Amino acid sequence: MKKVMIIGLLLAIVVVAAWALVSGRSHPTPPQTKKMADGALLLDVRTNEEYQEKHGEKALNIPLTNIQAGVLPQVTQDTPIYVYCRSGNRSAQAVELLKKAGYTKVTDIGAYDNLAVYGVETAKMQPVNNGALTVPQ
């Protein structure tokens, strides 16, 4: 009888742990490997301060608040756009706004940590001799 109870308890723990992992996602997880389309725009919708700390190489920074105010990427509406932020919340909002504005090929990468899945290198801002920040070449 004890063995049945222990097995039942272990099974319950496994089920609860699996449920917690799945239900804890606030944003869809991208596939294990994904290639960005040629000529695509990588759009960082975090704040300027977050962008200065670290960002995807060649990413354009337009904070979500700017997009909400009507500032849009200066690309054709059929240009592939890949959007990311810190956790996936702001990128999801930005994707919806961009689609409403007529952009047709918008992909939500989600969190900054997902950039590697899409093969995007990251860059950190580095101080130069006058104390200003610059992107490494």
Side-chain angles (χ1 to χ4, degrees):
M1 184 69 171
K2 285 185 179 182
K3 286 182 182 180
V4 172
M5 289 177 58
I6 290 173
I7 291 172
L9 181 61
L10 289 174
L11 183 59
I13 290 171
V14 168
V15 168
V16 169
W19 176 81
L21 285 172
V22 172
S23 66
R25 290 184 188 152
S26 61
H27 186 78
T29 303
Q32 292 302 312
T33 57
K34 184 80 173 174
K35 185 177 186 294
M36 287 180 41
D38 292 333
L41 170 66
L42 180 60
L43 183 60
D44 183 331
V45 296
R46 300 173 303 152
T47 65
N48 292 326
E49 293 79 17
E50 289 172 297
Y51 179 84
Q52 288 178 358
E53 287 177 20
K54 59 185 180 180
H55 58 271
E57 277 192 9
K58 300 181 183 176
L60 173 65
N61 180 227
I62 304 177
L64 175 62
T65 54
N66 292 18
I67 293 172
Q68 291 168 329
V71 177
L72 299 172
Q74 299 299 304
V75 295
T76 62
Q77 292 189 325
D78 65 343
T79 298
I81 302 173
Y82 293 81
V83 185
Y84 74 93
C85 64
R86 182 184 55 81
S87 67
N89 182 30
R90 288 174 283 180
S91 64
Q93 292 177 59
V95 164
E96 290 306 311
L97 291 169
L98 292 169
K99 286 180 178 179
K100 285 180 184 176
Y103 293 90
T104 58
K105 297 179 180 177
V106 185
T107 301
D108 187 357
I109 289 178
Y112 174 86
D113 293 339
N114 293 340
L115 289 175
V117 173
Y118 284 81
V120 176
E121 297 291 325
T122 56
K124 292 185 179 184
M125 302 298 270
Q126 297 178 348
V128 293
N129 57 5
N130 65 359
L133 294 173
T134 184
V135 178
Q137 300 299 321

